[in-house]
Amino acid sequence: MTREFDRDWRPSASLDTLRRRAGLLHGIREFFRERGVLEVETPLLSTATVTDLHLHSLKTRLDLPGDDLRDLYLQTSPEFAMKRLLATSSGPIFQICKAFRDGEAGRRHNPEFTMLEWYRPGFDHHDLMDEMDAFLGRILSAQPAERLTYREVFERWAGLDPHEATLDQLASCARRCGIDAGSADGWDRDAWLHLILSQVVEPNLGSEPAADRTCSPRPTYLLDFPARQAALARIRPATAGLPPVAERFEVYVHGVELANGFHELTDPVEQRRRFELDLEERHRRGLPAVPLDEKLLAAMEHGLPACAGVAVGVDRLLMVQEGSDDLRPMISFDLSKA
């Protein structure tokens, strides 16, 4: 029996929005062409995927004549393959591609989405934030961003030091802010910090200068994350009075995360150690086991140049450009229309 839902063939985006989307993509490519950054393409399918506890990969099966069935993963990001290109001395590169993440759908998430990712050999994350300012100034007519540390935003909006607070203090902060933590038994520091960040802090980041969202935005760069949240970033050692922190940043406009940047880890031994710790934690939490990307680790052993990289959600970028708070009308056919 055919449902009316199945016959809704119309796109989720208007033609005017799709024309502006095409203009956005053209503007992105022009920005990098002027700066001599090479556009590349890498596979959407891979025999390995990320070990990150918070990213869930979509998996498919490859059935070739005369070959065994093999599991393949749709990329959550082109990062690993792009780093393999960097190891061949590609120089600065960028890519606009589809990426896929399971378990994410709604007003600000679609399981299939468009990502911009670029890498700059010789840059650290501060250099990349400077270029990000130029990029957002060109694409969104944004003002120069403010740069706030993880500690500063927690002290300002949550009233505690995220590096020193105890588990009891974090739980008390959540209750004081009216957050329903549900079943929080056994939560570690990172789980509490993520909850408070998402519910209390993030809505204040990159707030518009006026009630009108069409005004020129002032982004916020959030940096100096706790070392335990380094992912694939370098860690800056502890200094007098300051704990070790991850050399990474996130970019917010109107409380929406647009980008995630890193001063990239280049040590293959440390990278393998982090991957293996992720796999142990995945097993502890009952999450699916995933294969390590041995090709990435081999490329890092060959030599990944010192570099910084950033991933930007293109659909969210258009959402901000359009003055909208909903991702779905930015996509020709969102999940409900696919």
Side-chain angles (χ1 to χ4, degrees), residues 270-312:
E270 171 62 13
Q271 187 61 78
R272 183 180 292 277
R273 187 187 74 84
R274 292 190 196 177
F275 281 163
E276 290 174 345
L277 286 174
D278 282 349
L279 291 181
E280 290 174 9
E281 184 63 17
R282 291 179 74 89
H283 178 73
R284 190 185 74 81
R285 297 189 187 188
L287 296 173
V290 294
L292 297 187
D293 194 325
E294 292 291 350
K295 292 183 177 68
L296 169 65
L297 293 169
M300 294 178 72
E301 290 166 6
H302 174 77
L304 180 64
C307 62
V310 62
V312 183

Side-chain angles (χ1 to χ4, degrees), residues 106-124:
R107 191 164 52 88
R108 292 183 177 175
H109 296 277
N110 199 64
E112 176 185 350
F113 61 99
T114 302
M115 178 177 283
L116 161 68
E117 194 151 332
W118 81 88
Y119 290 86
R120 280 289 200 168
F123 277 30
D124 66 12

Side-chain angles (χ1 to χ4, degrees), residues 1-107:
M1 180 177 177
T2 301
R3 301 168 298 175
E4 190 61 30
F5 171 85
D6 296 322
R7 294 179 57 81
D8 186 2
W9 55 270
R10 296 170 183 81
S12 43
S14 71
L15 290 178
D16 283 344
T17 298
L18 293 179
R19 292 185 185 101
R20 288 190 290 272
R21 183 185 181 97
L24 171 64
L25 294 172
H26 175 76
I28 291 171
R29 288 189 164 96
E30 279 296 293
F31 178 85
F32 290 110
R33 183 190 63 80
E34 292 169 8
R35 290 167 176 256
V37 181
L38 177 68
E39 182 170 10
V40 299
E41 289 184 331
T42 55
L44 297 180
L45 288 171
S46 175
T47 54
T49 188
V50 293
T51 59
D52 192 305
L53 304 173
H54 305 292
L55 296 180
H56 306 295
S57 302
L58 286 166
K59 185 167 68 172
T60 188
R61 304 296 300 275
L62 179 65
D63 185 7
L64 295 176
D67 198 359
D68 293 333
L69 285 172
R70 281 184 285 166
D71 288 336
L72 291 175
Y73 297 88
L74 287 164
Q75 65 175 8
T76 61
S77 153
E79 177 175 5
F80 291 0
M82 291 183 77
K83 285 181 174 177
R84 289 163 60 188
L85 292 177
L86 289 168
T88 68
S89 302
S90 66
I93 53 177
F94 82 98
Q95 180 168 187
I96 300 171
C97 64
K98 291 295 185 180
F100 304 84
R101 295 181 184 179
D102 201 2
E104 299 184 5
R107 191 164 52 88

Side-chain angles (χ1 to χ4, degrees), residues 4 9 21 42 47 71 82 100-101 125 131-132 137 139-140 147 163 181 195 214 245 251 262 299 320 334:
E4 190 61 30
W9 55 270
R21 183 185 181 97
T42 55
T47 54
D71 288 336
M82 291 183 77
F100 304 84
R101 295 181 184 179
H125 56 306
E131 185 162 66
M132 192 83 201
I139 299 300
L140 296 181
R147 303 184 185 187
H163 301 293
L195 178 69
T214 62
V245 293
V251 183
F262 297 81
V320 171
D334 70 68

